[in-house]
Amino acid sequence: MSTNLKVLITRRQFQEQINRLGEVADVTVLDRPEPPTRAELKKAVLGCSGIFAHITDLVNGEIMDIAGKNLKVIAEFGVGYDNIKVEDASERNIAVGNTPGVLTETTADFAFAVIQSAARRLAESDRFVRSGQWKWFDPLDLLGLDINGSTLGIIGFGRIGKSVAKRALASGMNVIYFTRSTPDDDFGCKRINDLEELLKISDFVSLHCPLTDETKNLIGTRELEIMKPTSVLVNTSRGPTVDTNALSDGLLKKEISYAALDVTDPEPIPADHPLLRMENVTILPHIASATVGTRKKMSEMTVDNIIAGIQGKLPPHCVNAEDINWE
Ligand code: 8YV
């Protein structure tokens, strides 16, 4: 459809949602598996009213200014939107949308699967068989950790953190948590107000906080030293919440026993990174929300946010609604 509204989708997306957008705007899709370069992004945003953004796009004031005065809405395909400079958007009266809720259970399922797989060394055991090292049954080989009866420390007790906690309780874990917010209900989990205390007593530590200035490198050298030498660190939040070099060192010094990461800093992690040579590390390619159903819902919600925004209505899921004045 030819309108004067232009929308950019920065990666390939579900055709059904591209078609929905096409009914109200001229849509450009950067239809490749890989992210656009900075130069490509700058060129593609020119004159856009809406940007359908992904985690790989840094959308800052520079990009917003290049897009120009038509830009009304930037909609993130995801709940975390640390790649969008929200302050820059608010200063320019541009709404920022995201997709909370629809990915909570899928991400929690995945995070708990990662906790279990780290406990029982599944990735390592698979590599052991594939590489032909499995010669016979050995009663003392590949021994893991029990989930039941152990303590899970959750950092960030929002929607996803709570859903992971429910799964953990059902599996017989004791759940403790650290959060800056005030949860209305913690269904038998124990709040710990001191992060160091949580790190000291947890057998598993799982990160579920957003990436902010405060949470960048939340887990670094000191935190790893405090953790139990037998403990497991699981990160399905954002890579930079963990200091990658400190983690490599901490694993080498046996400060903790295992790390399982769905997110890394940088992302992707370079193929020659020392972490990839360690058996007691699992690294996954940022797939916590990656199910057909959930990614479709995220795409639909992102398009809902864009359609509202380009038509001058606040997106249904707007993170800076209080800063927007479209009178
Ligand atoms: C997305 C995510 O896959 O929602 C989030 O915050 O990390 C993932 O669900 C990612 O943001 C893709 O843009």
Side-chain angles (χ1 to χ4, degrees), residues 217-221 224 239-248 265:
N217 290 340
L218 190 69
I219 302 296
T221 306
L224 292 159
T241 56
V242 176
D243 177 338
T244 311
N245 291 334
L247 179 61
S248 288
D265 180 26

Side-chain angles (χ1 to χ4, degrees), residues 188-232:
C189 304
K190 187 172 174 214
R191 182 175 193 153
I192 307 280
N193 289 321
D194 177 12
L195 179 60
E196 294 199 353
E197 181 62 16
L198 176 136
L199 295 172
K200 257 183 222 161
I201 56 184
S202 296
D203 299 304
F204 297 82
V205 172
S206 190
L207 288 153
H208 299 286
C209 49
L211 175 62
T212 61
D213 290 343
E214 214 183 339
T215 62
K216 190 168 163 35
N217 290 340
L218 190 69
I219 302 296
T221 306
R222 176 166 166 72
E223 290 71 25
L224 292 159
E225 278 167 11
I226 290 170
M227 288 171 69
K228 291 185 185 180
T230 49
S231 67
V232 174

Side-chain angles (χ1 to χ4, degrees), residues 15 81 106 129 136 173 277 315 319:
Q15 192 58 48
Y81 49 87
T106 300
V129 175
W136 41 69
M173 298 182 95
R277 292 198 295 274
V319 304

